Every structure is written in C-alpha cells, then in structure tokens.
Amino acid sequence: MEFKGSNLIKLLLLTQCLIVLCAYGEDVHFFYFVQQWPGSYCGTVVRNCRHPKNKKPAIDFGIHGLWPGKKDGSTLRYCKPKIDFSASQLAGITSKLERDWPALTCPTKEGSFFWKQQWDKHGVCSNSILNQRAYFELTLDLKEGTNLKRNLSNAGINPDGKTYTLDKIKDALQKAYGFTPFIECYTNNTGHSLLFQVYKCVNAAADSNFHFIECPVRPKVV
Ligand code: 5GP
C-alpha cells in the first residue's frame, strides 16, 4: 500500500486521535471518594496490618481513594496510556498523606506504595481533569471537608465498642450532608457487622469547582 506524503500525515494524526479516544474515551462522570475505618480494615480484611513507620493509624477514617465513577456504578481502572506515579510531585504534602491516607497493610513498604497503587488504578483515569498533584491535593481537601468522624460523633456515634444501627448512622450522615452516603460493612469472625467504608460522590468539574454531590448511582462494590 502506498501513501502520498500528506495522506500519510493525515493517517498518522487520525491514528493518534484514535489512540487518545480509546484511552480517555470514557468520560469521567463523577468520583467516588472512599474512606475506610482502620480498625475494621485491619480487624477483618488483612492480618498484620501496620502503619508506615510502625505507628498506629489515627483513630479516624482514612482515605482509601478517589475513583472516577461510571454511569453503571463501576469505576474506571488502569487507563492507558499509563502515566507513571512520581513521588516528587507530592513534595510538601507527604506528611498530610501519611496522616490522612495511611497504607495500613505496609509493615515493610512505605505509604507511597498505596498512593502509587491508587494512582495507577484510578488516578490515571482522572488525568483529563486532574494531574497527579491535583488528584492528591483534591483527595486530601475532600477528607478535610467531609468531617466524617465529627459528624458521627455529633450524633452520639463514637468508636467506643457500642453497637449503633445502620439506620442511625445513615440518619446522622443524611442530616450532616443533605444526602446519604453509601456504607459498606464487614462481618468479623465473631459475627459482628463493622462499619468499614463510606462512599461519597464528587462532581467531575472541568472548571475545578469540585464539591460533594448525591451519588448518581450506587457503587457496584456495595
Ligand atoms: P483496591 O482495594 O483499591 O483494589 O486495592 C488496594 C490495594 O492496596 C491492595 O493491594 C491492598 O493490599 C493495598 N493497601 C495497602 N494499604 C491499604 C489500606 O490501608 N487500605 C486498602 N484498602 N488497601 C491497602
């Protein structure tokens, strides 16, 4: 097959466009912002949970991730082309990340293992809206703005070993946010149901005006 010069250039451009469309063709409609309760994660999902540098995690909800959501409640994952995680882009926010986004399974690895894993799996798919620095900064801001533990505490729900009904928890969060986040529970080996993860949604704002919204669809994992 022969191509004249200008046709070849057109074909190359078209091929490049198609590659970009394939990679980022699926629009980001919204994000799931997911927080996890360390005691529930460590008590039920994995053994030998340990905070980086062997400190105990804060008694607070940590971040699991910020996941671009699809219309059916699933999430975009491992988008191509891959954009390598760069630890240097987190300069100045690492201590905040260690506090708010601790990697609970890391007895030997540093916390950045979890951040890299989340960037590779979900962050790259958000890159049309958020570069790596913006992705991590936004996620930290969302954690700060959500006040999950305080809002539960205001309703008398505390990590004190007592049992609280799911309805009471949902009611407290509905009153605090004006919508009900999705709650994921785990049943531990003594048959107790533990509050594990809380899912809130965030608009996918091309103009960077991000804010919490009622989730358009139930996350598939819950
Ligand atoms: P995902 O649940 O997002 O598919 O995968 C999370 C990955 O990060 C797993 O390989 C898990 O072992 C690792 N990981 C490290 N620290 C944590 C943590 O604190 N919470 C969760 N959910 N996963 C963690």
PDB file of all heavy atoms in Angstrom, residues 36 41-42 45-46 49-50 63-65 67 77-78 101-106 111 113-115 117-118 121-122 196-197, ligand 1:
ATOM      1  N   GLN A  36     -12.067   4.714  54.756  1.00  0.00           N
ATOM      2  CA  GLN A  36     -12.099   3.430  55.452  1.00  0.00           C
ATOM      3  C   GLN A  36     -11.800   3.625  56.934  1.00  0.00           C
ATOM      4  O   GLN A  36     -10.996   4.484  57.312  1.00  0.00           O
ATOM      5  CB  GLN A  36     -11.087   2.468  54.829  1.00  0.00           C
ATOM      6  CG  GLN A  36      -9.647   2.978  54.877  1.00  0.00           C
ATOM      7  CD  GLN A  36      -8.630   2.043  54.256  1.00  0.00           C
ATOM      8  OE1 GLN A  36      -8.966   0.993  53.742  1.00  0.00           O
ATOM      9  NE2 GLN A  36      -7.356   2.430  54.316  1.00  0.00           N
ATOM     10  N   TYR A  41     -10.846  -2.378  58.784  1.00  0.00           N
ATOM     11  CA  TYR A  41      -9.989  -2.925  57.731  1.00  0.00           C
ATOM     12  C   TYR A  41      -9.000  -3.924  58.335  1.00  0.00           C
ATOM     13  O   TYR A  41      -8.871  -5.044  57.854  1.00  0.00           O
ATOM     14  CB  TYR A  41      -9.227  -1.792  57.028  1.00  0.00           C
ATOM     15  CG  TYR A  41      -8.386  -2.291  55.884  1.00  0.00           C
ATOM     16  CD1 TYR A  41      -8.970  -2.626  54.672  1.00  0.00           C
ATOM     17  CD2 TYR A  41      -7.005  -2.438  56.020  1.00  0.00           C
ATOM     18  CE1 TYR A  41      -8.212  -3.107  53.620  1.00  0.00           C
ATOM     19  CE2 TYR A  41      -6.236  -2.913  54.973  1.00  0.00           C
ATOM     20  CZ  TYR A  41      -6.842  -3.241  53.776  1.00  0.00           C
ATOM     21  OH  TYR A  41      -6.074  -3.724  52.738  1.00  0.00           O
ATOM     22  N   CYS A  42      -8.364  -3.519  59.412  1.00  0.00           N
ATOM     23  CA  CYS A  42      -7.326  -4.378  59.989  1.00  0.00           C
ATOM     24  C   CYS A  42      -7.935  -5.572  60.728  1.00  0.00           C
ATOM     25  O   CYS A  42      -7.322  -6.628  60.792  1.00  0.00           O
ATOM     26  CB  CYS A  42      -6.453  -3.564  60.936  1.00  0.00           C
ATOM     27  SG  CYS A  42      -5.505  -2.323  60.057  1.00  0.00           S
ATOM     28  N   VAL A  45     -10.099  -7.639  57.130  1.00  0.00           N
ATOM     29  CA  VAL A  45      -9.678  -7.883  55.755  1.00  0.00           C
ATOM     30  C   VAL A  45      -8.276  -8.492  55.689  1.00  0.00           C
ATOM     31  O   VAL A  45      -8.031  -9.451  54.984  1.00  0.00           O
ATOM     32  CB  VAL A  45      -9.711  -6.568  54.935  1.00  0.00           C
ATOM     33  CG1 VAL A  45      -9.371  -6.857  53.482  1.00  0.00           C
ATOM     34  CG2 VAL A  45     -11.079  -5.935  55.029  1.00  0.00           C
ATOM     35  N   VAL A  46      -7.372  -7.926  56.408  1.00  0.00           N
ATOM     36  CA  VAL A  46      -5.996  -8.435  56.357  1.00  0.00           C
ATOM     37  C   VAL A  46      -5.456  -8.605  57.771  1.00  0.00           C
ATOM     38  O   VAL A  46      -5.934  -7.993  58.704  1.00  0.00           O
ATOM     39  CB  VAL A  46      -5.038  -7.463  55.626  1.00  0.00           C
ATOM     40  CG1 VAL A  46      -5.188  -7.566  54.142  1.00  0.00           C
ATOM     41  CG2 VAL A  46      -5.223  -6.069  56.119  1.00  0.00           C
ATOM     42  N   CYS A  49      -1.745  -5.890  59.883  1.00  0.00           N
ATOM     43  CA  CYS A  49      -1.870  -4.512  59.460  1.00  0.00           C
ATOM     44  C   CYS A  49      -0.867  -3.672  60.227  1.00  0.00           C
ATOM     45  O   CYS A  49      -0.724  -3.826  61.426  1.00  0.00           O
ATOM     46  CB  CYS A  49      -3.259  -4.025  59.857  1.00  0.00           C
ATOM     47  SG  CYS A  49      -4.224  -3.505  58.494  1.00  0.00           S
ATOM     48  N   ARG A  50      -0.216  -2.808  59.577  1.00  0.00           N
ATOM     49  CA  ARG A  50       0.698  -1.929  60.298  1.00  0.00           C
ATOM     50  C   ARG A  50       0.841  -0.605  59.569  1.00  0.00           C
ATOM     51  O   ARG A  50       0.907  -0.571  58.346  1.00  0.00           O
ATOM     52  CB  ARG A  50       2.070  -2.589  60.446  1.00  0.00           C
ATOM     53  CG  ARG A  50       2.692  -2.208  61.764  1.00  0.00           C
ATOM     54  CD  ARG A  50       3.792  -3.141  62.178  1.00  0.00           C
ATOM     55  NE  ARG A  50       3.437  -4.549  62.167  1.00  0.00           N
ATOM     56  CZ  ARG A  50       4.338  -5.500  61.968  1.00  0.00           C
ATOM     57  NH1 ARG A  50       5.575  -5.199  61.719  1.00  0.00           N
ATOM     58  NH2 ARG A  50       3.986  -6.753  62.003  1.00  0.00           N
ATOM     59  N   ILE A  63      -8.271   7.677  54.119  1.00  0.00           N
ATOM     60  CA  ILE A  63      -8.697   7.667  52.715  1.00  0.00           C
ATOM     61  C   ILE A  63      -8.378   6.300  52.109  1.00  0.00           C
ATOM     62  O   ILE A  63      -7.301   5.754  52.338  1.00  0.00           O
ATOM     63  CB  ILE A  63      -7.940   8.770  51.939  1.00  0.00           C
ATOM     64  CG1 ILE A  63      -8.295  10.157  52.483  1.00  0.00           C
ATOM     65  CG2 ILE A  63      -8.245   8.681  50.452  1.00  0.00           C
ATOM     66  CD1 ILE A  63      -7.357  11.267  52.013  1.00  0.00           C
ATOM     67  N   HIS A  64      -9.309   5.747  51.375  1.00  0.00           N
ATOM     68  CA  HIS A  64      -8.972   4.594  50.523  1.00  0.00           C
ATOM     69  C   HIS A  64      -8.663   5.123  49.122  1.00  0.00           C
ATOM     70  O   HIS A  64      -7.659   4.773  48.545  1.00  0.00           O
ATOM     71  CB  HIS A  64     -10.126   3.584  50.494  1.00  0.00           C
ATOM     72  CG  HIS A  64      -9.823   2.340  49.697  1.00  0.00           C
ATOM     73  ND1 HIS A  64     -10.533   1.182  49.805  1.00  0.00           N
ATOM     74  CD2 HIS A  64      -8.877   2.084  48.750  1.00  0.00           C
ATOM     75  CE1 HIS A  64     -10.035   0.262  48.983  1.00  0.00           C
ATOM     76  NE2 HIS A  64      -9.033   0.792  48.325  1.00  0.00           N
ATOM     77  N   GLY A  65      -9.541   5.980  48.593  1.00  0.00           N
ATOM     78  CA  GLY A  65      -9.204   6.514  47.279  1.00  0.00           C
ATOM     79  C   GLY A  65     -10.267   7.416  46.696  1.00  0.00           C
ATOM     80  O   GLY A  65     -11.335   7.615  47.279  1.00  0.00           O
ATOM     81  N   TRP A  67     -12.134   7.612  43.149  1.00  0.00           N
ATOM     82  CA  TRP A  67     -12.290   6.717  42.000  1.00  0.00           C
ATOM     83  C   TRP A  67     -13.248   7.315  40.976  1.00  0.00           C
ATOM     84  O   TRP A  67     -14.429   7.561  41.288  1.00  0.00           O
ATOM     85  CB  TRP A  67     -12.842   5.365  42.458  1.00  0.00           C
ATOM     86  CG  TRP A  67     -12.054   4.697  43.546  1.00  0.00           C
ATOM     87  CD1 TRP A  67     -10.770   4.948  43.904  1.00  0.00           C
ATOM     88  CD2 TRP A  67     -12.515   3.662  44.429  1.00  0.00           C
ATOM     89  NE1 TRP A  67     -10.387   4.130  44.950  1.00  0.00           N
ATOM     90  CE2 TRP A  67     -11.449   3.329  45.288  1.00  0.00           C
ATOM     91  CE3 TRP A  67     -13.719   2.972  44.560  1.00  0.00           C
ATOM     92  CZ2 TRP A  67     -11.551   2.351  46.276  1.00  0.00           C
ATOM     93  CZ3 TRP A  67     -13.825   1.992  45.541  1.00  0.00           C
ATOM     94  CH2 TRP A  67     -12.754   1.687  46.388  1.00  0.00           C
ATOM     95  N   ARG A  77     -10.657   2.071  35.590  1.00  0.00           N
ATOM     96  CA  ARG A  77      -9.431   1.481  36.154  1.00  0.00           C
ATOM     97  C   ARG A  77      -8.338   1.293  35.106  1.00  0.00           C
ATOM     98  O   ARG A  77      -8.639   0.958  33.969  1.00  0.00           O
ATOM     99  CB  ARG A  77      -9.740   0.071  36.699  1.00  0.00           C
ATOM    100  CG  ARG A  77     -10.672   0.094  37.851  1.00  0.00           C
ATOM    101  CD  ARG A  77     -11.329  -1.243  38.039  1.00  0.00           C
ATOM    102  NE  ARG A  77     -12.230  -1.136  39.182  1.00  0.00           N
ATOM    103  CZ  ARG A  77     -12.431  -2.069  40.054  1.00  0.00           C
ATOM    104  NH1 ARG A  77     -11.811  -3.217  39.937  1.00  0.00           N
ATOM    105  NH2 ARG A  77     -13.254  -1.886  41.065  1.00  0.00           N
ATOM    106  N   TYR A  78      -7.119   1.455  35.544  1.00  0.00           N
ATOM    107  CA  TYR A  78      -5.932   1.142  34.735  1.00  0.00           C
ATOM    108  C   TYR A  78      -6.053   1.663  33.297  1.00  0.00           C
ATOM    109  O   TYR A  78      -5.923   0.901  32.333  1.00  0.00           O
ATOM    110  CB  TYR A  78      -5.680  -0.378  34.724  1.00  0.00           C
ATOM    111  CG  TYR A  78      -5.427  -0.929  36.102  1.00  0.00           C
ATOM    112  CD1 TYR A  78      -6.338  -1.812  36.706  1.00  0.00           C
ATOM    113  CD2 TYR A  78      -4.308  -0.551  36.825  1.00  0.00           C
ATOM    114  CE1 TYR A  78      -6.121  -2.301  37.983  1.00  0.00           C
ATOM    115  CE2 TYR A  78      -4.076  -1.042  38.100  1.00  0.00           C
ATOM    116  CZ  TYR A  78      -4.987  -1.915  38.672  1.00  0.00           C
ATOM    117  OH  TYR A  78      -4.769  -2.392  39.934  1.00  0.00           O
ATOM    118  N   TRP A 101      -3.971   9.408  54.569  1.00  0.00           N
ATOM    119  CA  TRP A 101      -4.091   8.339  53.555  1.00  0.00           C
ATOM    120  C   TRP A 101      -3.069   7.236  53.893  1.00  0.00           C
ATOM    121  O   TRP A 101      -2.225   6.887  53.068  1.00  0.00           O
ATOM    122  CB  TRP A 101      -3.838   8.907  52.160  1.00  0.00           C
ATOM    123  CG  TRP A 101      -4.373   8.114  51.012  1.00  0.00           C
ATOM    124  CD1 TRP A 101      -4.610   6.764  50.968  1.00  0.00           C
ATOM    125  CD2 TRP A 101      -4.725   8.629  49.717  1.00  0.00           C
ATOM    126  NE1 TRP A 101      -5.093   6.423  49.736  1.00  0.00           N
ATOM    127  CE2 TRP A 101      -5.179   7.540  48.953  1.00  0.00           C
ATOM    128  CE3 TRP A 101      -4.701   9.893  49.143  1.00  0.00           C
ATOM    129  CZ2 TRP A 101      -5.603   7.675  47.625  1.00  0.00           C
ATOM    130  CZ3 TRP A 101      -5.120  10.038  47.825  1.00  0.00           C
ATOM    131  CH2 TRP A 101      -5.562   8.947  47.078  1.00  0.00           C
ATOM    132  N   PRO A 102      -3.117   6.727  55.129  1.00  0.00           N
ATOM    133  CA  PRO A 102      -2.110   5.744  55.524  1.00  0.00           C
ATOM    134  C   PRO A 102      -2.313   4.408  54.813  1.00  0.00           C
ATOM    135  O   PRO A 102      -3.440   4.016  54.546  1.00  0.00           O
ATOM    136  CB  PRO A 102      -2.348   5.580  57.031  1.00  0.00           C
ATOM    137  CG  PRO A 102      -3.777   5.915  57.228  1.00  0.00           C
ATOM    138  CD  PRO A 102      -4.117   6.955  56.186  1.00  0.00           C
ATOM    139  N   ALA A 103      -1.214   3.747  54.526  1.00  0.00           N
ATOM    140  CA  ALA A 103      -1.278   2.411  53.932  1.00  0.00           C
ATOM    141  C   ALA A 103      -1.236   1.408  55.073  1.00  0.00           C
ATOM    142  O   ALA A 103      -0.184   1.141  55.636  1.00  0.00           O
ATOM    143  CB  ALA A 103      -0.102   2.213  52.988  1.00  0.00           C
ATOM    144  N   LEU A 104      -2.382   0.855  55.384  1.00  0.00           N
ATOM    145  CA  LEU A 104      -2.479   0.033  56.592  1.00  0.00           C
ATOM    146  C   LEU A 104      -1.832  -1.334  56.443  1.00  0.00           C
ATOM    147  O   LEU A 104      -1.576  -2.008  57.422  1.00  0.00           O
ATOM    148  CB  LEU A 104      -3.950  -0.127  56.978  1.00  0.00           C
ATOM    149  CG  LEU A 104      -4.687   1.197  57.253  1.00  0.00           C
ATOM    150  CD1 LEU A 104      -6.164   0.957  57.440  1.00  0.00           C
ATOM    151  CD2 LEU A 104      -4.108   1.888  58.470  1.00  0.00           C
ATOM    152  N   THR A 105      -1.582  -1.755  55.218  1.00  0.00           N
ATOM    153  CA  THR A 105      -1.014  -3.094  55.026  1.00  0.00           C
ATOM    154  C   THR A 105       0.495  -3.071  54.879  1.00  0.00           C
ATOM    155  O   THR A 105       1.077  -4.029  54.392  1.00  0.00           O
ATOM    156  CB  THR A 105      -1.559  -3.743  53.746  1.00  0.00           C
ATOM    157  OG1 THR A 105      -1.159  -2.933  52.651  1.00  0.00           O
ATOM    158  CG2 THR A 105      -3.051  -3.895  53.777  1.00  0.00           C
ATOM    159  N   CYS A 106       1.106  -2.001  55.247  1.00  0.00           N
ATOM    160  CA  CYS A 106       2.520  -1.861  54.907  1.00  0.00           C
ATOM    161  C   CYS A 106       3.466  -2.061  56.070  1.00  0.00           C
ATOM    162  O   CYS A 106       3.947  -1.084  56.641  1.00  0.00           O
ATOM    163  CB  CYS A 106       2.765  -0.483  54.318  1.00  0.00           C
ATOM    164  SG  CYS A 106       2.101  -0.316  52.687  1.00  0.00           S
ATOM    165  N   GLY A 111       4.374   4.205  52.793  1.00  0.00           N
ATOM    166  CA  GLY A 111       2.997   4.527  52.440  1.00  0.00           C
ATOM    167  C   GLY A 111       2.805   4.820  50.964  1.00  0.00           C
ATOM    168  O   GLY A 111       1.718   4.619  50.413  1.00  0.00           O
ATOM    169  N   PHE A 113       3.511   3.247  48.536  1.00  0.00           N
ATOM    170  CA  PHE A 113       3.069   2.066  47.792  1.00  0.00           C
ATOM    171  C   PHE A 113       1.565   2.163  47.509  1.00  0.00           C
ATOM    172  O   PHE A 113       1.104   1.914  46.390  1.00  0.00           O
ATOM    173  CB  PHE A 113       3.367   0.797  48.601  1.00  0.00           C
ATOM    174  CG  PHE A 113       2.494  -0.372  48.222  1.00  0.00           C
ATOM    175  CD1 PHE A 113       2.752  -1.104  47.061  1.00  0.00           C
ATOM    176  CD2 PHE A 113       1.392  -0.725  48.988  1.00  0.00           C
ATOM    177  CE1 PHE A 113       1.931  -2.164  46.693  1.00  0.00           C
ATOM    178  CE2 PHE A 113       0.565  -1.777  48.630  1.00  0.00           C
ATOM    179  CZ  PHE A 113       0.841  -2.503  47.479  1.00  0.00           C
ATOM    180  N   PHE A 114       0.807   2.537  48.530  1.00  0.00           N
ATOM    181  CA  PHE A 114      -0.661   2.618  48.407  1.00  0.00           C
ATOM    182  C   PHE A 114      -1.050   3.787  47.493  1.00  0.00           C
ATOM    183  O   PHE A 114      -1.929   3.668  46.644  1.00  0.00           O
ATOM    184  CB  PHE A 114      -1.245   2.793  49.807  1.00  0.00           C
ATOM    185  CG  PHE A 114      -2.744   2.628  49.917  1.00  0.00           C
ATOM    186  CD1 PHE A 114      -3.470   1.871  49.001  1.00  0.00           C
ATOM    187  CD2 PHE A 114      -3.439   3.206  50.971  1.00  0.00           C
ATOM    188  CE1 PHE A 114      -4.852   1.717  49.132  1.00  0.00           C
ATOM    189  CE2 PHE A 114      -4.808   3.052  51.116  1.00  0.00           C
ATOM    190  CZ  PHE A 114      -5.519   2.314  50.186  1.00  0.00           C
ATOM    191  N   TRP A 115      -0.372   4.911  47.633  1.00  0.00           N
ATOM    192  CA  TRP A 115      -0.679   6.081  46.796  1.00  0.00           C
ATOM    193  C   TRP A 115      -0.396   5.758  45.324  1.00  0.00           C
ATOM    194  O   TRP A 115      -1.174   6.105  44.455  1.00  0.00           O
ATOM    195  CB  TRP A 115       0.119   7.314  47.245  1.00  0.00           C
ATOM    196  CG  TRP A 115       0.052   7.550  48.733  1.00  0.00           C
ATOM    197  CD1 TRP A 115      -1.007   7.239  49.556  1.00  0.00           C
ATOM    198  CD2 TRP A 115       1.059   8.095  49.573  1.00  0.00           C
ATOM    199  NE1 TRP A 115      -0.705   7.574  50.845  1.00  0.00           N
ATOM    200  CE2 TRP A 115       0.552   8.103  50.886  1.00  0.00           C
ATOM    201  CE3 TRP A 115       2.346   8.589  49.344  1.00  0.00           C
ATOM    202  CZ2 TRP A 115       1.291   8.579  51.968  1.00  0.00           C
ATOM    203  CZ3 TRP A 115       3.090   9.066  50.419  1.00  0.00           C
ATOM    204  CH2 TRP A 115       2.565   9.065  51.718  1.00  0.00           C
ATOM    205  N   GLN A 117      -0.358   2.765  44.006  1.00  0.00           N
ATOM    206  CA  GLN A 117      -1.336   1.754  43.570  1.00  0.00           C
ATOM    207  C   GLN A 117      -2.656   2.434  43.185  1.00  0.00           C
ATOM    208  O   GLN A 117      -3.275   2.088  42.180  1.00  0.00           O
ATOM    209  CB  GLN A 117      -1.519   0.734  44.707  1.00  0.00           C
ATOM    210  CG  GLN A 117      -2.416  -0.447  44.397  1.00  0.00           C
ATOM    211  CD  GLN A 117      -3.883  -0.193  44.721  1.00  0.00           C
ATOM    212  OE1 GLN A 117      -4.230   0.753  45.424  1.00  0.00           O
ATOM    213  NE2 GLN A 117      -4.751  -1.029  44.190  1.00  0.00           N
ATOM    214  N   GLN A 118      -3.075   3.424  43.983  1.00  0.00           N
ATOM    215  CA  GLN A 118      -4.335   4.119  43.701  1.00  0.00           C
ATOM    216  C   GLN A 118      -4.203   5.022  42.475  1.00  0.00           C
ATOM    217  O   GLN A 118      -5.132   5.152  41.685  1.00  0.00           O
ATOM    218  CB  GLN A 118      -4.776   4.930  44.928  1.00  0.00           C
ATOM    219  CG  GLN A 118      -5.265   4.045  46.068  1.00  0.00           C
ATOM    220  CD  GLN A 118      -6.584   3.347  45.751  1.00  0.00           C
ATOM    221  OE1 GLN A 118      -7.558   3.982  45.388  1.00  0.00           O
ATOM    222  NE2 GLN A 118      -6.606   2.020  45.871  1.00  0.00           N
ATOM    223  N   LYS A 121      -4.225   2.717  39.433  1.00  0.00           N
ATOM    224  CA  LYS A 121      -5.523   2.072  39.193  1.00  0.00           C
ATOM    225  C   LYS A 121      -6.615   3.086  38.825  1.00  0.00           C
ATOM    226  O   LYS A 121      -7.403   2.838  37.928  1.00  0.00           O
ATOM    227  CB  LYS A 121      -5.921   1.289  40.443  1.00  0.00           C
ATOM    228  CG  LYS A 121      -7.189   0.468  40.284  1.00  0.00           C
ATOM    229  CD  LYS A 121      -7.353  -0.491  41.455  1.00  0.00           C
ATOM    230  CE  LYS A 121      -8.631  -1.277  41.365  1.00  0.00           C
ATOM    231  NZ  LYS A 121      -8.807  -2.184  42.501  1.00  0.00           N
ATOM    232  N   HIS A 122      -6.656   4.218  39.529  1.00  0.00           N
ATOM    233  CA  HIS A 122      -7.770   5.160  39.336  1.00  0.00           C
ATOM    234  C   HIS A 122      -7.329   6.559  38.905  1.00  0.00           C
ATOM    235  O   HIS A 122      -8.031   7.223  38.154  1.00  0.00           O
ATOM    236  CB  HIS A 122      -8.572   5.303  40.632  1.00  0.00           C
ATOM    237  CG  HIS A 122      -9.218   4.030  41.078  1.00  0.00           C
ATOM    238  ND1 HIS A 122     -10.265   3.448  40.402  1.00  0.00           N
ATOM    239  CD2 HIS A 122      -8.966   3.220  42.140  1.00  0.00           C
ATOM    240  CE1 HIS A 122     -10.636   2.343  41.024  1.00  0.00           C
ATOM    241  NE2 HIS A 122      -9.857   2.171  42.073  1.00  0.00           N
ATOM    242  N   PHE A 196     -17.216  -0.248  57.760  1.00  0.00           N
ATOM    243  CA  PHE A 196     -15.915  -0.363  57.107  1.00  0.00           C
ATOM    244  C   PHE A 196     -15.607   0.838  56.204  1.00  0.00           C
ATOM    245  O   PHE A 196     -14.694   1.610  56.473  1.00  0.00           O
ATOM    246  CB  PHE A 196     -15.878  -1.681  56.322  1.00  0.00           C
ATOM    247  CG  PHE A 196     -14.689  -1.854  55.424  1.00  0.00           C
ATOM    248  CD1 PHE A 196     -13.421  -1.464  55.844  1.00  0.00           C
ATOM    249  CD2 PHE A 196     -14.820  -2.413  54.161  1.00  0.00           C
ATOM    250  CE1 PHE A 196     -12.315  -1.610  55.021  1.00  0.00           C
ATOM    251  CE2 PHE A 196     -13.723  -2.572  53.329  1.00  0.00           C
ATOM    252  CZ  PHE A 196     -12.473  -2.170  53.753  1.00  0.00           C
ATOM    253  N   GLN A 197     -16.415   1.015  55.150  1.00  0.00           N
ATOM    254  CA  GLN A 197     -16.101   2.102  54.216  1.00  0.00           C
ATOM    255  C   GLN A 197     -17.322   2.986  53.976  1.00  0.00           C
ATOM    256  O   GLN A 197     -18.454   2.518  53.990  1.00  0.00           O
ATOM    257  CB  GLN A 197     -15.634   1.539  52.873  1.00  0.00           C
ATOM    258  CG  GLN A 197     -14.394   0.664  53.006  1.00  0.00           C
ATOM    259  CD  GLN A 197     -13.572   0.582  51.750  1.00  0.00           C
ATOM    260  OE1 GLN A 197     -12.452   1.082  51.718  1.00  0.00           O
ATOM    261  NE2 GLN A 197     -14.074  -0.046  50.720  1.00  0.00           N
TER     262      GLN A 197
HETATM  263  P1  5GP B   1      -8.114  -1.837  45.959  1.00  0.00           P
HETATM  264  O1  5GP B   1      -8.933  -2.250  47.169  1.00  0.00           O
HETATM  265  O2  5GP B   1      -8.171  -0.355  45.763  1.00  0.00           O
HETATM  266  O3  5GP B   1      -8.434  -2.616  44.761  1.00  0.00           O
HETATM  267  O4  5GP B   1      -6.611  -2.238  46.284  1.00  0.00           O
HETATM  268  C1  5GP B   1      -5.923  -1.751  47.373  1.00  0.00           C
HETATM  269  C2  5GP B   1      -4.501  -2.299  47.380  1.00  0.00           C
HETATM  270  O5  5GP B   1      -3.699  -1.508  48.228  1.00  0.00           O
HETATM  271  C3  5GP B   1      -4.403  -3.728  47.872  1.00  0.00           C
HETATM  272  O6  5GP B   1      -3.339  -4.353  47.200  1.00  0.00           O
HETATM  273  C4  5GP B   1      -4.057  -3.555  49.334  1.00  0.00           C
HETATM  274  O7  5GP B   1      -3.335  -4.639  49.845  1.00  0.00           O
HETATM  275  C5  5GP B   1      -3.202  -2.296  49.304  1.00  0.00           C
HETATM  276  N1  5GP B   1      -3.334  -1.498  50.512  1.00  0.00           N
HETATM  277  C6  5GP B   1      -2.308  -1.020  51.247  1.00  0.00           C
HETATM  278  N2  5GP B   1      -2.754  -0.332  52.297  1.00  0.00           N
HETATM  279  C7  5GP B   1      -4.102  -0.340  52.214  1.00  0.00           C
HETATM  280  C8  5GP B   1      -5.103   0.235  53.006  1.00  0.00           C
HETATM  281  O8  5GP B   1      -4.889   0.919  54.001  1.00  0.00           O
HETATM  282  N3  5GP B   1      -6.387   0.040  52.603  1.00  0.00           N
HETATM  283  C9  5GP B   1      -6.694  -0.687  51.481  1.00  0.00           C
HETATM  284  N4  5GP B   1      -7.981  -0.816  51.157  1.00  0.00           N
HETATM  285  N5  5GP B   1      -5.755  -1.253  50.717  1.00  0.00           N
HETATM  286  C10 5GP B   1      -4.466  -1.071  51.075  1.00  0.00           C
END
